Amino acid sequence: MNTRIKTIITVALFISFIAIAYIAYTTLSDKFKPNTNVQNEQSSTGQSQSSKTEIKHKAPDFTILDYKGKQVKLSDFNGKPIVLNFWASWCPPCKAEMPHFNKVYKEYQNEVVLMMVDL
């Protein structure tokens, strides 16, 4: 097979790939848009400021047991920043980050909720 035919086949395959990728993207992108609530902050005059648009994502509520065995829900901490960490005792990187979480907890325990969920 000569070089010209190989080049034509390669270009045709590349164009086909691009066309299929574009069709797949446009078809599937509408199905996978995140569910977000966009809220504009209001200035003192009541006019919205587009430069201060905030996107909020609400986590699903769930219940876990705290270190004392008491049931705690994620929604119990509404209004406070929450660091939610899912970890496992067999996971070396998870174990390595625990001293850092302890340090942050000691420094910010009254300002931030740390939820450490052991899988």
Side-chain angles (χ1 to χ4, degrees):
M1 200 183 275
N2 76 33
T3 312
R4 185 173 182 187
I5 294 174
K6 287 181 182 179
T7 304
I8 291 171
I9 291 172
T10 303
V11 170
L13 288 173
F14 179 73
I15 291 171
S16 299
F17 173 76
I18 296 297
I20 291 169
Y22 174 76
I23 292 167
Y25 175 78
T26 56
T27 303
L28 297 174
S29 64
D30 290 338
K31 295 179 182 180
F32 297 103
K33 289 189 179 180
N35 184 11
T36 60
N37 297 325
V38 178
Q39 299 174 345
N40 289 332
E41 292 184 13
Q42 300 291 323
S43 67
S44 59
T45 61
Q47 297 174 347
S48 65
Q49 298 174 345
S50 60
S51 64
K52 293 190 176 188
T53 300
E54 183 178 334
I55 299 175
K56 295 184 178 185
H57 300 275
K58 186 173 181 179
D61 198 17
F62 59 90
T63 304
I64 59 172
L65 299 176
D66 68 5
Y67 67 96
K68 294 179 181 178
K70 177 184 169 194
Q71 286 191 347
V72 179
K73 289 197 274 184
L74 182 63
S75 61
D76 293 341
F77 304 105
N78 280 346
K80 262 193 152 178
I82 300 172
V83 175
L84 181 58
N85 184 28
F86 293 93
W87 67 286
S89 57
W90 49 262
C91 170
C94 298
K95 288 180 179 180
E97 70 187 5
M98 285 303 154
H100 303 288
F101 279 117
N102 284 335
K103 181 180 176 186
V104 169
Y105 175 74
K106 287 177 185 175
E107 189 172 344
Y108 297 103
Q109 64 184 336
N110 296 326
E111 300 169 39
V112 177
V113 175
L114 296 176
M115 289 187 88
M116 313 302 283
V117 182
D118 183 5
L119 299 175

